[in-house]
Amino acid sequence: MTEFYNLKGERIFTPGPVELPDPVREVLGRQIIHHRTEEFKEAFLETRELFKRLVDDPSENFVFFASSGTGAMEASVQNFFKEGEKVIVVEGGKFGERWKELALRWGLEPVVLSLEWGESLRAEELEDLLKKHPDAVGVLLQISESSTGAYNEVREIKELLKDEDALLVADAITALGVYDIDPVEWGIDVLVGGSQKAFMLPPGLSMLWFSEKAKERLNDRAYYFSVKEELKKQKEGQTAFTPAIPLILALKVSLEMLLAVGTDKLEEKYRKMAQGTARALESLGFKLLPEKPVISLGAFLPPEGLSADELRKKLLSMGIRLAGGQGKLKGKIVRISYMGMDYLDLLQPIGALELALYEEGLLSAPKGEAVGLYLQSIAS
Ligand SMILES: Cc1ncc(COP(=O)(O)O)c(C=O)c1O
């Protein structure tokens, strides 16, 4: 068994938080500025302009909150729905469960469209449920269900909701900044994002974008998470409460980085990394859990006879941190995030897994075959 003596500590390949790029770290290392200043206001308004470009929508219909992603999920439930209203919740993993819990907590009546963990939404099932529940005023789902790695294609259900009152509320916490999401074009009414994912920032900042249709439903139920109050202030370059100042300043840098590449090119890059990693790991005997995988992370079942958590421990000894399973997938899968990664970064976890399998006696020699397949995949 090789001892690794990792002088550089560990690399983080988990679906949040993800590693911070140098320009982001540079901004975060500066002295704080006060938020009731022209300097902050100017930077905040510039950040808002950049965010409009990210979502390809010139409207002011979005706010940032000083919270993790769940805060913006909660805000979606509070601000656009009222007690006693019925919503359809797509529940195919831990984060779908969270929509249901939030809906119950805020007095809504969730109708659950339950999926096997790893399955993706089928438009026909939603269509049937909408027919059965014509009084439903919302459909809550994940674009990327990070606990299973399954992708839900919201564009397939756009037509179903076009003439309905129901709002499509999409948790894009591990999808925004990965997919080239144009919420208006995709038929989304509320879109939620989080800083510690593809934005490559520390946790603590969430984003909530909404459509004109959703705007008409805004209510006054929330206090800290009031979209109306925040919007009034944020349009003017201020916030209702003390903002996460360093995170806003760092978001500006991160958005500049993402937009310099282009959202279409970013999606293409993530797709290649995801496909290349899947090809490499399948050659080692891993299996992708979801039928329709996302491109922000891969959720893999380990080869027969190998414990997912032991494997993760082994990789950690090599300085590579992967994520495990959550909820009913605890101990069963390993998850590798691609968010914030460059092509060649993935050589490390793929190489480490190949080495781990050799050390476990599953390979006769670590020949770099998985690494080779990955390289071929990204070179094609
Ligand atoms: C799809 C999805 N939704 C919601 C969340 C919750 O976000 P947070 O942990 O930032 O509150 C996560 C976090 O991993 C996520 O991946």
Side-chain angles (χ1 to χ4, degrees), residues 18-63:
V18 310
E19 291 178 350
L20 311 179
D22 287 346
V24 164
R25 292 171 64 179
E26 196 270 314
V27 174
L28 293 172
R30 290 184 201 160
Q31 178 59 281
I32 195 88
I33 60 167
H34 201 278
H35 53 295
R36 307 297 181 204
T37 57
E38 269 310 304
E39 187 184 357
F40 179 77
K41 181 176 164 183
E42 198 178 299
F44 191 38
L45 288 174
E46 279 170 18
T47 309
R48 286 186 61 89
E49 289 307 310
L50 293 167
F51 190 80
K52 290 177 190 172
R53 284 174 54 202
L54 181 83
V55 292
D56 219 352
D57 177 37
S59 86
E60 294 288 346
N61 294 353
F62 63 95
V63 290

mmCIF file of all heavy atoms in Angstrom, residues 18-63:
data_model
loop_
_atom_site.group_PDB
_atom_site.id
_atom_site.type_symbol
_atom_site.label_atom_id
_atom_site.label_comp_id
_atom_site.label_asym_id
_atom_site.label_seq_id
_atom_site.Cartn_x
_atom_site.Cartn_y
_atom_site.Cartn_z
ATOM 1 N N VAL A 18 -17.389 23.578 -3.577
ATOM 2 C CA VAL A 18 -16.364 23.218 -4.567
ATOM 3 C C VAL A 18 -15.171 24.151 -4.376
ATOM 4 O O VAL A 18 -15.262 25.168 -3.684
ATOM 5 C CB VAL A 18 -16.900 23.275 -6.027
ATOM 6 C CG1 VAL A 18 -18.211 22.518 -6.168
ATOM 7 C CG2 VAL A 18 -17.076 24.706 -6.515
ATOM 8 N N GLU A 19 -14.063 23.802 -4.985
ATOM 9 C CA GLU A 19 -12.840 24.602 -4.793
ATOM 10 C C GLU A 19 -13.006 26.025 -5.341
ATOM 11 O O GLU A 19 -13.730 26.256 -6.311
ATOM 12 C CB GLU A 19 -11.666 23.915 -5.493
ATOM 13 C CG GLU A 19 -11.264 22.624 -4.798
ATOM 14 C CD GLU A 19 -10.138 21.888 -5.494
ATOM 15 O OE1 GLU A 19 -9.764 22.247 -6.639
ATOM 16 O OE2 GLU A 19 -9.638 20.931 -4.900
ATOM 17 N N LEU A 20 -12.310 26.946 -4.689
ATOM 18 C CA LEU A 20 -12.406 28.365 -5.070
ATOM 19 C C LEU A 20 -11.276 28.730 -6.035
ATOM 20 O O LEU A 20 -10.112 28.465 -5.729
ATOM 21 C CB LEU A 20 -12.292 29.258 -3.829
ATOM 22 C CG LEU A 20 -13.180 28.902 -2.632
ATOM 23 C CD1 LEU A 20 -12.922 29.885 -1.481
ATOM 24 C CD2 LEU A 20 -14.657 28.942 -3.017
ATOM 25 N N PRO A 21 -11.598 29.365 -7.163
ATOM 26 C CA PRO A 21 -10.523 29.810 -8.057
ATOM 27 C C PRO A 21 -9.750 30.994 -7.452
ATOM 28 O O PRO A 21 -10.291 31.713 -6.610
ATOM 29 C CB PRO A 21 -11.262 30.235 -9.328
ATOM 30 C CG PRO A 21 -12.697 30.282 -8.995
ATOM 31 C CD PRO A 21 -12.933 29.658 -7.663
ATOM 32 N N ASP A 22 -8.530 31.185 -7.884
ATOM 33 C CA ASP A 22 -7.674 32.233 -7.303
ATOM 34 C C ASP A 22 -8.304 33.628 -7.322
ATOM 35 O O ASP A 22 -8.235 34.342 -6.321
ATOM 36 C CB ASP A 22 -6.307 32.263 -8.007
ATOM 37 C CG ASP A 22 -5.467 31.071 -7.588
ATOM 38 O OD1 ASP A 22 -5.828 30.411 -6.583
ATOM 39 O OD2 ASP A 22 -4.466 30.779 -8.268
ATOM 40 N N PRO A 23 -8.908 34.086 -8.443
ATOM 41 C CA PRO A 23 -9.469 35.447 -8.429
ATOM 42 C C PRO A 23 -10.563 35.618 -7.363
ATOM 43 O O PRO A 23 -10.709 36.688 -6.780
ATOM 44 C CB PRO A 23 -10.061 35.611 -9.844
ATOM 45 C CG PRO A 23 -9.359 34.590 -10.673
ATOM 46 C CD PRO A 23 -9.041 33.450 -9.769
ATOM 47 N N VAL A 24 -11.295 34.546 -7.097
ATOM 48 C CA VAL A 24 -12.333 34.594 -6.049
ATOM 49 C C VAL A 24 -11.665 34.687 -4.680
ATOM 50 O O VAL A 24 -12.049 35.490 -3.828
ATOM 51 C CB VAL A 24 -13.245 33.338 -6.140
ATOM 52 C CG1 VAL A 24 -14.062 33.153 -4.868
ATOM 53 C CG2 VAL A 24 -14.157 33.431 -7.365
ATOM 54 N N ARG A 25 -10.627 33.892 -4.470
ATOM 55 C CA ARG A 25 -9.925 33.919 -3.179
ATOM 56 C C ARG A 25 -9.293 35.282 -2.942
ATOM 57 O O ARG A 25 -9.243 35.769 -1.813
ATOM 58 C CB ARG A 25 -8.862 32.824 -3.145
ATOM 59 C CG ARG A 25 -9.491 31.454 -3.132
ATOM 60 C CD ARG A 25 -8.485 30.366 -3.304
ATOM 61 N NE ARG A 25 -7.550 30.320 -2.205
ATOM 62 C CZ ARG A 25 -6.569 29.432 -2.119
ATOM 63 N NH1 ARG A 25 -6.415 28.531 -3.069
ATOM 64 N NH2 ARG A 25 -5.746 29.432 -1.101
ATOM 65 N N GLU A 26 -8.835 35.882 -4.006
ATOM 66 C CA GLU A 26 -8.192 37.194 -3.874
ATOM 67 C C GLU A 26 -9.209 38.221 -3.348
ATOM 68 O O GLU A 26 -8.937 38.966 -2.406
ATOM 69 C CB GLU A 26 -7.626 37.608 -5.240
ATOM 70 C CG GLU A 26 -6.601 38.743 -5.192
ATOM 71 C CD GLU A 26 -7.250 40.102 -5.329
ATOM 72 O OE1 GLU A 26 -8.111 40.258 -6.234
ATOM 73 O OE2 GLU A 26 -6.924 40.988 -4.535
ATOM 74 N N VAL A 27 -10.398 38.226 -3.920
ATOM 75 C CA VAL A 27 -11.438 39.167 -3.474
ATOM 76 C C VAL A 27 -11.853 38.883 -2.028
ATOM 77 O O VAL A 27 -12.037 39.800 -1.224
ATOM 78 C CB VAL A 27 -12.683 39.071 -4.396
ATOM 79 C CG1 VAL A 27 -13.811 39.928 -3.874
ATOM 80 C CG2 VAL A 27 -12.333 39.493 -5.797
ATOM 81 N N LEU A 28 -11.974 37.611 -1.713
ATOM 82 C CA LEU A 28 -12.426 37.242 -0.369
ATOM 83 C C LEU A 28 -11.397 37.586 0.705
ATOM 84 O O LEU A 28 -11.739 37.730 1.875
ATOM 85 C CB LEU A 28 -12.748 35.744 -0.312
ATOM 86 C CG LEU A 28 -13.946 35.292 -1.149
ATOM 87 C CD1 LEU A 28 -14.047 33.772 -1.161
ATOM 88 C CD2 LEU A 28 -15.237 35.896 -0.608
ATOM 89 N N GLY A 29 -10.158 37.727 0.307
ATOM 90 C CA GLY A 29 -9.094 38.030 1.273
ATOM 91 C C GLY A 29 -8.958 39.519 1.587
ATOM 92 O O GLY A 29 -8.171 39.904 2.439
ATOM 93 N N ARG A 30 -9.770 40.355 0.907
ATOM 94 C CA ARG A 30 -9.638 41.809 1.131
ATOM 95 C C ARG A 30 -10.360 42.272 2.397
ATOM 96 O O ARG A 30 -11.266 41.591 2.872
ATOM 97 C CB ARG A 30 -10.257 42.570 -0.062
ATOM 98 C CG ARG A 30 -9.438 42.440 -1.324
ATOM 99 C CD ARG A 30 -10.075 43.303 -2.399
ATOM 100 N NE ARG A 30 -9.649 42.829 -3.719
ATOM 101 C CZ ARG A 30 -10.292 43.092 -4.842
ATOM 102 N NH1 ARG A 30 -11.393 43.811 -4.823
ATOM 103 N NH2 ARG A 30 -9.849 42.626 -5.986
ATOM 104 N N GLN A 31 -10.006 43.458 2.859
ATOM 105 C CA GLN A 31 -10.710 44.079 3.994
ATOM 106 C C GLN A 31 -12.186 44.287 3.604
ATOM 107 O O GLN A 31 -12.499 44.572 2.435
ATOM 108 C CB GLN A 31 -10.045 45.430 4.316
ATOM 109 C CG GLN A 31 -10.681 46.221 5.429
ATOM 110 C CD GLN A 31 -10.691 45.471 6.743
ATOM 111 O OE1 GLN A 31 -11.533 44.588 6.959
ATOM 112 N NE2 GLN A 31 -9.743 45.800 7.616
ATOM 113 N N ILE A 32 -13.085 44.133 4.557
ATOM 114 C CA ILE A 32 -14.523 44.323 4.289
ATOM 115 C C ILE A 32 -14.797 45.792 3.917
ATOM 116 O O ILE A 32 -14.094 46.684 4.385
ATOM 117 C CB ILE A 32 -15.335 43.913 5.560
ATOM 118 C CG1 ILE A 32 -16.825 43.736 5.253
ATOM 119 C CG2 ILE A 32 -15.154 44.916 6.703
ATOM 120 C CD1 ILE A 32 -17.163 42.364 4.815
ATOM 121 N N ILE A 33 -15.803 46.002 3.070
ATOM 122 C CA ILE A 33 -16.272 47.374 2.841
ATOM 123 C C ILE A 33 -17.681 47.469 3.431
ATOM 124 O O ILE A 33 -18.341 46.439 3.639
ATOM 125 C CB ILE A 33 -16.291 47.769 1.336
ATOM 126 C CG1 ILE A 33 -17.228 46.852 0.525
ATOM 127 C CG2 ILE A 33 -14.881 47.787 0.768
ATOM 128 C CD1 ILE A 33 -17.515 47.390 -0.882
ATOM 129 N N HIS A 34 -18.129 48.666 3.706
ATOM 130 C CA HIS A 34 -19.478 48.809 4.259
ATOM 131 C C HIS A 34 -20.486 48.734 3.113
ATOM 132 O O HIS A 34 -20.203 49.164 1.999
ATOM 133 C CB HIS A 34 -19.623 50.131 5.026
ATOM 134 C CG HIS A 34 -20.762 50.089 5.990
ATOM 135 N ND1 HIS A 34 -22.063 50.320 5.606
ATOM 136 C CD2 HIS A 34 -20.798 49.786 7.313
ATOM 137 C CE1 HIS A 34 -22.854 50.173 6.660
ATOM 138 N NE2 HIS A 34 -22.116 49.849 7.717
ATOM 139 N N HIS A 35 -21.669 48.169 3.447
ATOM 140 C CA HIS A 35 -22.653 48.005 2.358
ATOM 141 C C HIS A 35 -23.444 49.283 2.071
ATOM 142 O O HIS A 35 -24.022 49.410 1.009
ATOM 143 C CB HIS A 35 -23.591 46.830 2.642
ATOM 144 C CG HIS A 35 -24.257 46.874 3.981
ATOM 145 N ND1 HIS A 35 -23.547 46.785 5.149
ATOM 146 C CD2 HIS A 35 -25.558 46.986 4.322
ATOM 147 C CE1 HIS A 35 -24.389 46.835 6.167
ATOM 148 N NE2 HIS A 35 -25.618 46.965 5.691
ATOM 149 N N ARG A 36 -23.497 50.223 3.036
ATOM 150 C CA ARG A 36 -24.246 51.458 2.734
ATOM 151 C C ARG A 36 -23.276 52.492 2.156
ATOM 152 O O ARG A 36 -23.074 53.568 2.724
ATOM 153 C CB ARG A 36 -24.923 52.006 3.998
ATOM 154 C CG ARG A 36 -25.808 51.005 4.752
ATOM 155 C CD ARG A 36 -26.993 50.510 3.950
ATOM 156 N NE ARG A 36 -27.808 49.570 4.724
ATOM 157 C CZ ARG A 36 -28.597 48.655 4.185
ATOM 158 N NH1 ARG A 36 -28.689 48.502 2.878
ATOM 159 N NH2 ARG A 36 -29.298 47.853 4.941
ATOM 160 N N THR A 37 -22.617 52.112 1.091
ATOM 161 C CA THR A 37 -21.646 53.012 0.446
ATOM 162 C C THR A 37 -21.857 52.978 -1.063
ATOM 163 O O THR A 37 -22.440 52.018 -1.596
ATOM 164 C CB THR A 37 -20.192 52.557 0.707
ATOM 165 O OG1 THR A 37 -20.058 51.195 0.225
ATOM 166 C CG2 THR A 37 -19.812 52.609 2.171
ATOM 167 N N GLU A 38 -21.358 53.999 -1.727
ATOM 168 C CA GLU A 38 -21.417 54.044 -3.194
ATOM 169 C C GLU A 38 -20.623 52.888 -3.795
ATOM 170 O O GLU A 38 -21.004 52.317 -4.809
ATOM 171 C CB GLU A 38 -20.829 55.378 -3.701
ATOM 172 C CG GLU A 38 -21.849 56.484 -3.845
ATOM 173 C CD GLU A 38 -23.097 56.093 -4.637
ATOM 174 O OE1 GLU A 38 -22.965 55.641 -5.789
ATOM 175 O OE2 GLU A 38 -24.211 56.220 -4.088
ATOM 176 N N GLU A 39 -19.500 52.556 -3.133
ATOM 177 C CA GLU A 39 -18.629 51.486 -3.646
ATOM 178 C C GLU A 39 -19.377 50.160 -3.714
ATOM 179 O O GLU A 39 -19.333 49.442 -4.718
ATOM 180 C CB GLU A 39 -17.393 51.366 -2.741
ATOM 181 C CG GLU A 39 -16.355 50.397 -3.291
ATOM 182 C CD GLU A 39 -15.161 50.210 -2.340
ATOM 183 O OE1 GLU A 39 -15.112 50.868 -1.282
ATOM 184 O OE2 GLU A 39 -14.289 49.386 -2.698
ATOM 185 N N PHE A 40 -20.098 49.850 -2.629
ATOM 186 C CA PHE A 40 -20.850 48.590 -2.630
ATOM 187 C C PHE A 40 -21.992 48.649 -3.650
ATOM 188 O O PHE A 40 -22.207 47.725 -4.428
ATOM 189 C CB PHE A 40 -21.411 48.269 -1.239
ATOM 190 C CG PHE A 40 -22.216 46.986 -1.247
ATOM 191 C CD1 PHE A 40 -21.581 45.755 -1.261
ATOM 192 C CD2 PHE A 40 -23.604 47.009 -1.313
ATOM 193 C CE1 PHE A 40 -22.305 44.571 -1.327
ATOM 194 C CE2 PHE A 40 -24.348 45.828 -1.377
ATOM 195 C CZ PHE A 40 -23.689 44.615 -1.377
ATOM 196 N N LYS A 41 -22.703 49.779 -3.621
ATOM 197 C CA LYS A 41 -23.859 49.931 -4.506
ATOM 198 C C LYS A 41 -23.452 49.717 -5.973
ATOM 199 O O LYS A 41 -24.120 48.988 -6.722
ATOM 200 C CB LYS A 41 -24.435 51.341 -4.312
ATOM 201 C CG LYS A 41 -25.641 51.634 -5.142
ATOM 202 C CD LYS A 41 -26.199 53.009 -4.807
ATOM 203 C CE LYS A 41 -27.143 53.450 -5.898
ATOM 204 N NZ LYS A 41 -27.652 54.793 -5.672
ATOM 205 N N GLU A 42 -22.344 50.334 -6.337
ATOM 206 C CA GLU A 42 -21.878 50.216 -7.720
ATOM 207 C C GLU A 42 -21.531 48.757 -8.066
ATOM 208 O O GLU A 42 -21.940 48.229 -9.091
ATOM 209 C CB GLU A 42 -20.643 51.110 -7.870
ATOM 210 C CG GLU A 42 -20.316 51.442 -9.310
ATOM 211 C CD GLU A 42 -19.105 52.366 -9.370
ATOM 212 O OE1 GLU A 42 -19.183 53.489 -8.814
ATOM 213 O OE2 GLU A 42 -18.093 51.941 -9.930
ATOM 214 N N ALA A 43 -20.804 48.121 -7.147
ATOM 215 C CA ALA A 43 -20.406 46.721 -7.390
ATOM 216 C C ALA A 43 -21.636 45.818 -7.436
ATOM 217 O O ALA A 43 -21.731 44.890 -8.258
ATOM 218 C CB ALA A 43 -19.457 46.260 -6.291
ATOM 219 N N PHE A 44 -22.605 46.101 -6.559
ATOM 220 C CA PHE A 44 -23.809 45.266 -6.496
ATOM 221 C C PHE A 44 -24.625 45.399 -7.795
ATOM 222 O O PHE A 44 -25.090 44.408 -8.366
ATOM 223 C CB PHE A 44 -24.636 45.673 -5.272
ATOM 224 C CG PHE A 44 -25.767 44.716 -4.958
ATOM 225 C CD1 PHE A 44 -25.614 43.351 -5.114
ATOM 226 C CD2 PHE A 44 -26.993 45.183 -4.496
ATOM 227 C CE1 PHE A 44 -26.643 42.467 -4.827
ATOM 228 C CE2 PHE A 44 -28.037 44.308 -4.206
ATOM 229 C CZ PHE A 44 -27.862 42.958 -4.370
ATOM 230 N N LEU A 45 -24.765 46.640 -8.256
ATOM 231 C CA LEU A 45 -25.533 46.845 -9.493
ATOM 232 C C LEU A 45 -24.820 46.208 -10.689
ATOM 233 O O LEU A 45 -25.466 45.635 -11.576
ATOM 234 C CB LEU A 45 -25.782 48.338 -9.724
ATOM 235 C CG LEU A 45 -26.801 48.970 -8.761
ATOM 236 C CD1 LEU A 45 -26.893 50.473 -8.961
ATOM 237 C CD2 LEU A 45 -28.197 48.328 -8.915
ATOM 238 N N GLU A 46 -23.507 46.260 -10.688
ATOM 239 C CA GLU A 46 -22.756 45.594 -11.771
ATOM 240 C C GLU A 46 -22.954 44.078 -11.706
ATOM 241 O O GLU A 46 -23.108 43.415 -12.726
ATOM 242 C CB GLU A 46 -21.259 45.924 -11.648
ATOM 243 C CG GLU A 46 -20.901 47.295 -12.230
ATOM 244 C CD GLU A 46 -19.473 47.718 -11.878
ATOM 245 O OE1 GLU A 46 -18.651 46.856 -11.502
ATOM 246 O OE2 GLU A 46 -19.206 48.929 -11.967
ATOM 247 N N THR A 47 -22.965 43.558 -10.480
ATOM 248 C CA THR A 47 -23.185 42.113 -10.298
ATOM 249 C C THR A 47 -24.565 41.729 -10.823
ATOM 250 O O THR A 47 -24.741 40.699 -11.475
ATOM 251 C CB THR A 47 -23.052 41.734 -8.798
ATOM 252 O OG1 THR A 47 -21.826 42.258 -8.317
ATOM 253 C CG2 THR A 47 -23.083 40.236 -8.596
ATOM 254 N N ARG A 48 -25.541 42.581 -10.541
ATOM 255 C CA ARG A 48 -26.897 42.306 -11.032
ATOM 256 C C ARG A 48 -26.934 42.292 -12.563
ATOM 257 O O ARG A 48 -27.593 41.453 -13.172
ATOM 258 C CB ARG A 48 -27.909 43.323 -10.449
ATOM 259 C CG ARG A 48 -28.222 43.060 -8.979
ATOM 260 C CD ARG A 48 -29.324 43.974 -8.443
ATOM 261 N NE ARG A 48 -30.605 43.813 -9.124
ATOM 262 C CZ ARG A 48 -31.549 42.939 -8.771
ATOM 263 N NH1 ARG A 48 -31.352 42.141 -7.740
ATOM 264 N NH2 ARG A 48 -32.681 42.873 -9.440
ATOM 265 N N GLU A 49 -26.217 43.222 -13.173
ATOM 266 C CA GLU A 49 -26.181 43.245 -14.649
ATOM 267 C C GLU A 49 -25.586 41.938 -15.191
ATOM 268 O O GLU A 49 -26.064 41.382 -16.176
ATOM 269 C CB GLU A 49 -25.368 44.452 -15.163
ATOM 270 C CG GLU A 49 -26.060 45.792 -14.964
ATOM 271 C CD GLU A 49 -27.483 45.833 -15.523
ATOM 272 O OE1 GLU A 49 -27.668 45.436 -16.694
ATOM 273 O OE2 GLU A 49 -28.405 46.241 -14.797
ATOM 274 N N LEU A 50 -24.532 41.462 -14.526
ATOM 275 C CA LEU A 50 -23.890 40.216 -14.975
ATOM 276 C C LEU A 50 -24.841 39.026 -14.800
ATOM 277 O O LEU A 50 -24.913 38.137 -15.645
ATOM 278 C CB LEU A 50 -22.595 39.968 -14.192
ATOM 279 C CG LEU A 50 -21.459 40.966 -14.439
ATOM 280 C CD1 LEU A 50 -20.369 40.819 -13.388
ATOM 281 C CD2 LEU A 50 -20.872 40.790 -15.841
ATOM 282 N N PHE A 51 -25.582 39.038 -13.687
ATOM 283 C CA PHE A 51 -26.513 37.935 -13.447
ATOM 284 C C PHE A 51 -27.606 37.898 -14.521
ATOM 285 O O PHE A 51 -28.028 36.832 -14.958
ATOM 286 C CB PHE A 51 -27.128 38.036 -12.046
ATOM 287 C CG PHE A 51 -27.905 36.808 -11.649
ATOM 288 C CD1 PHE A 51 -27.247 35.676 -11.189
ATOM 289 C CD2 PHE A 51 -29.289 36.760 -11.774
ATOM 290 C CE1 PHE A 51 -27.952 34.524 -10.847
ATOM 291 C CE2 PHE A 51 -30.006 35.612 -11.438
ATOM 292 C CZ PHE A 51 -29.324 34.496 -10.967
ATOM 293 N N LYS A 52 -28.031 39.086 -14.965
ATOM 294 C CA LYS A 52 -29.047 39.145 -16.034
ATOM 295 C C LYS A 52 -28.515 38.447 -17.288
ATOM 296 O O LYS A 52 -29.244 37.771 -17.996
ATOM 297 C CB LYS A 52 -29.370 40.611 -16.379
ATOM 298 C CG LYS A 52 -30.130 41.346 -15.307
ATOM 299 C CD LYS A 52 -30.337 42.810 -15.706
ATOM 300 C CE LYS A 52 -30.871 43.613 -14.550
ATOM 301 N NZ LYS A 52 -30.920 45.049 -14.816
ATOM 302 N N ARG A 53 -27.221 38.635 -17.531
ATOM 303 C CA ARG A 53 -26.629 37.986 -18.715
ATOM 304 C C ARG A 53 -26.568 36.471 -18.518
ATOM 305 O O ARG A 53 -26.772 35.706 -19.454
ATOM 306 C CB ARG A 53 -25.231 38.545 -18.980
ATOM 307 C CG ARG A 53 -25.282 39.939 -19.623
ATOM 308 C CD ARG A 53 -23.905 40.554 -19.759
ATOM 309 N NE ARG A 53 -22.966 39.706 -20.472
ATOM 310 C CZ ARG A 53 -21.635 39.804 -20.370
ATOM 311 N NH1 ARG A 53 -21.096 40.728 -19.598
ATOM 312 N NH2 ARG A 53 -20.850 39.001 -21.038
ATOM 313 N N LEU A 54 -26.294 36.044 -17.302
ATOM 314 C CA LEU A 54 -26.213 34.599 -17.049
ATOM 315 C C LEU A 54 -27.544 33.923 -17.354
ATOM 316 O O LEU A 54 -27.582 32.855 -17.959
ATOM 317 C CB LEU A 54 -25.807 34.324 -15.588
ATOM 318 C CG LEU A 54 -25.669 32.842 -15.247
ATOM 319 C CD1 LEU A 54 -24.297 32.312 -15.661
ATOM 320 C CD2 LEU A 54 -25.898 32.557 -13.778
ATOM 321 N N VAL A 55 -28.641 34.545 -16.922
ATOM 322 C CA VAL A 55 -29.957 33.927 -17.123
ATOM 323 C C VAL A 55 -30.636 34.439 -18.397
ATOM 324 O O VAL A 55 -31.787 34.107 -18.666
ATOM 325 C CB VAL A 55 -30.893 34.107 -15.898
ATOM 326 C CG1 VAL A 55 -30.402 33.311 -14.710
ATOM 327 C CG2 VAL A 55 -31.038 35.572 -15.512
ATOM 328 N N ASP A 56 -29.897 35.242 -19.145
ATOM 329 C CA ASP A 56 -30.393 35.700 -20.437
ATOM 330 C C ASP A 56 -31.749 36.394 -20.323
ATOM 331 O O ASP A 56 -32.646 36.153 -21.130
ATOM 332 C CB ASP A 56 -30.522 34.475 -21.378
ATOM 333 C CG ASP A 56 -30.085 34.847 -22.779
ATOM 334 O OD1 ASP A 56 -29.841 36.036 -23.016
ATOM 335 O OD2 ASP A 56 -30.008 33.936 -23.631
ATOM 336 N N ASP A 57 -31.902 37.193 -19.291
ATOM 337 C CA ASP A 57 -33.169 37.885 -19.096
ATOM 338 C C ASP A 57 -32.856 39.295 -18.588
ATOM 339 O O ASP A 57 -32.223 39.447 -17.544
ATOM 340 C CB ASP A 57 -34.032 37.133 -18.066
ATOM 341 C CG ASP A 57 -35.329 37.879 -17.791
ATOM 342 O OD1 ASP A 57 -35.895 38.472 -18.725
ATOM 343 O OD2 ASP A 57 -35.774 37.877 -16.620
ATOM 344 N N PRO A 58 -33.291 40.330 -19.327
ATOM 345 C CA PRO A 58 -32.948 41.695 -18.923
ATOM 346 C C PRO A 58 -33.781 42.222 -17.753
ATOM 347 O O PRO A 58 -33.543 43.330 -17.274
ATOM 348 C CB PRO A 58 -33.254 42.505 -20.197
ATOM 349 C CG PRO A 58 -34.299 41.715 -20.907
ATOM 350 C CD PRO A 58 -34.072 40.273 -20.565
ATOM 351 N N SER A 59 -34.745 41.438 -17.279
ATOM 352 C CA SER A 59 -35.633 41.957 -16.229
ATOM 353 C C SER A 59 -34.908 42.053 -14.884
ATOM 354 O O SER A 59 -33.845 41.468 -14.683
ATOM 355 C CB SER A 59 -36.866 41.065 -16.086
ATOM 356 O OG SER A 59 -36.588 40.000 -15.198
ATOM 357 N N GLU A 60 -35.550 42.774 -13.967
ATOM 358 C CA GLU A 60 -34.993 42.919 -12.606
ATOM 359 C C GLU A 60 -35.561 41.846 -11.675
ATOM 360 O O GLU A 60 -35.406 41.945 -10.461
ATOM 361 C CB GLU A 60 -35.342 44.312 -12.042
ATOM 362 C CG GLU A 60 -34.696 45.469 -12.763
ATOM 363 C CD GLU A 60 -33.182 45.591 -12.494
ATOM 364 O OE1 GLU A 60 -32.684 44.939 -11.556
ATOM 365 O OE2 GLU A 60 -32.527 46.333 -13.245
ATOM 366 N N ASN A 61 -36.225 40.860 -12.231
ATOM 367 C CA ASN A 61 -36.937 39.890 -11.395
ATOM 368 C C ASN A 61 -36.032 38.847 -10.742
ATOM 369 O O ASN A 61 -36.121 37.652 -11.037
ATOM 370 C CB ASN A 61 -37.995 39.150 -12.228
ATOM 371 C CG ASN A 61 -39.107 40.056 -12.689
ATOM 372 O OD1 ASN A 61 -39.149 41.219 -12.281
ATOM 373 N ND2 ASN A 61 -39.992 39.534 -13.527
ATOM 374 N N PHE A 62 -35.172 39.279 -9.883
ATOM 375 C CA PHE A 62 -34.358 38.318 -9.135
ATOM 376 C C PHE A 62 -33.785 38.999 -7.909
ATOM 377 O O PHE A 62 -33.628 40.224 -7.881
ATOM 378 C CB PHE A 62 -33.227 37.738 -10.004
ATOM 379 C CG PHE A 62 -32.237 38.763 -10.480
ATOM 380 C CD1 PHE A 62 -31.057 38.995 -9.795
ATOM 381 C CD2 PHE A 62 -32.486 39.522 -11.616
ATOM 382 C CE1 PHE A 62 -30.158 39.958 -10.217
ATOM 383 C CE2 PHE A 62 -31.590 40.482 -12.053
ATOM 384 C CZ PHE A 62 -30.422 40.705 -11.352
ATOM 385 N N VAL A 63 -33.512 38.182 -6.886
ATOM 386 C CA VAL A 63 -32.893 38.707 -5.657
ATOM 387 C C VAL A 63 -31.823 37.731 -5.188
ATOM 388 O O VAL A 63 -31.849 36.544 -5.524
ATOM 389 C CB VAL A 63 -33.918 38.902 -4.511
ATOM 390 C CG1 VAL A 63 -34.867 40.043 -4.801
ATOM 391 C CG2 VAL A 63 -34.686 37.619 -4.227
#
